[in-house]
Amino acid sequence: MKLLIIEDEKELADSIIESLEKERYKLETADTLAGALEKVAMHEYDCILLDITLPDGTGFKVLEQLQASGKADGVIIISAKHSLDDRVKGLQLGADDYLTKPFHMAELRARISALIRRKNFQGSNSIVFHELTIDSNARVVRVHANAVTLTPKEFDLLLFLVANSGRVVSKSAIAEHLSGDMADMLDNHGFVYSHIKNLKRKLSEKGCNDYIKTIYGFGYRWQK
């Protein structure tokens, strides 16, 4: 799962990064409105942590850009402002949640997890697809109750494909999801193909049907 942290307080941003890295999220950061708008325009995120007060403008501009482009990235506003008007405005512009500073990292992690479950998996930690069961919290995959041993990136790839079930996802989108800002430095096709091949093999060895379909010239689709 890929997150964008938009926060100009370096100490707080570092604390958030340290906390969320333990959850194995792929993290990207922006500390200005300009940087945030650029990232939001170029990429998609499972969750955006958005500070309203930025040195070069208001974080509400990020929500307005998401709304204008029709994107469905989950957004949690994190702000020191206690004004009810700010909360209402943020929610009206499409934010999913609002957390007032200071906050406990455990609460932030819980809210992120809940948001991702609501957005991608109808609120459940457990995703069941025929003979395949995925526990997104425990990061455990089973086929016919038999555990499948996956690397962190293979697990993230599986979740990404299942979350986009029925839709074609390009190789570049997969590379970006798994590697964030490093994707441009990789051989996307070889990198993605290797992970797809290993994931398909490991699932097949446990008796799982092949739900990962290659769409030649485009990418891959998790077959419903």
Side-chain angles (χ1 to χ4, degrees):
M1 295 295 164
K2 189 168 68 170
L3 276 62
L4 173 61
I5 303 166
I6 304 173
E7 173 58 64
D8 66 316
E9 295 181 35
K10 187 177 186 306
E11 185 175 346
L12 176 58
D14 289 344
S15 295
I16 293 173
I17 291 169
E18 182 180 0
S19 178
L20 296 183
E21 279 181 338
K22 299 173 184 176
E23 304 296 318
R24 297 181 178 177
Y25 291 119
K26 176 61 62 177
L27 304 175
E28 296 182 15
T29 62
D31 57 7
T32 64
L33 176 61
L37 291 174
E38 181 179 2
K39 284 185 175 291
V40 167
M42 294 176 59
H43 309 293
E44 294 185 359
Y45 300 93
D46 295 287
C47 181
I48 297 172
L49 303 181
L50 174 62
D51 187 8
I52 292 175
T53 306
L54 296 169
D56 55 341
T58 172
F60 289 131
K61 294 292 186 182
V62 174
L63 292 170
E64 291 170 356
Q65 178 169 304
L66 287 170
Q67 197 173 66
S69 60
K71 299 180 74 174
D73 306 45
V75 178
I76 299 175
I77 292 175
I78 51 173
S79 174
K81 291 190 174 183
H82 298 273
S83 168
L84 177 61
D85 290 342
D86 286 330
R87 297 190 188 197
V88 171
K89 182 176 180 180
L91 295 172
Q92 288 177 335
L93 287 173
D96 299 275
D97 202 352
Y98 194 113
L99 193 57
T100 302
K101 302 175 186 176
F103 50 80
H104 292 288
M105 291 300 166
E107 181 179 5
L108 176 62
R109 292 195 302 269
R111 291 191 184 220
I112 292 170
S113 180
L115 173 57
I116 291 174
R117 288 199 307 270
R118 291 198 305 271
K119 286 284 186 180
N120 294 335
F121 307 118
Q122 292 75 53
S124 176
N125 290 325
S126 181
I127 304 110
V128 180
F129 192 90
H130 302 305
E131 70 277 15
L132 179 68
T133 302
I134 306 168
D135 187 322
S136 59
N137 271 6
R139 297 179 69 87
V140 172
V141 177
R142 297 184 184 278
V143 175
H144 296 303
N146 298 313
V148 183
T149 302
L150 300 178
T151 67
K153 285 197 182 300
E154 289 165 358
F155 183 87
D156 290 341
L157 171 59
L158 177 60
L159 269 187
F160 185 59
L161 292 172
V162 173
N164 289 279
S165 182
R167 291 185 288 183
V168 178
V169 289
S170 67
K171 296 181 180 71
S172 59
I174 293 173
E176 178 190 312
H177 183 79
L178 296 180
S179 300
D181 290 338
M182 296 294 292
D184 292 339
M185 301 173 63
L186 301 170
D187 174 0
N188 288 357
H189 291 197
F191 168 75
V192 171
Y193 174 75
S194 177
H195 284 302
I196 289 283
K197 179 181 177 181
N198 290 335
L199 177 60
K200 287 164 67 80
R201 173 180 57 79
K202 290 181 178 181
L203 292 175
S204 176
E205 287 175 349
K206 296 297 183 179
C208 187
N209 290 315
D210 184 11
Y211 300 112
I212 304 173
K213 304 303 180 183
T214 301
I215 310 300
Y216 293 99
F218 293 95
Y220 300 91
R221 179 178 63 209
W222 183 266
Q223 188 70 50
K224 291 184 177 181

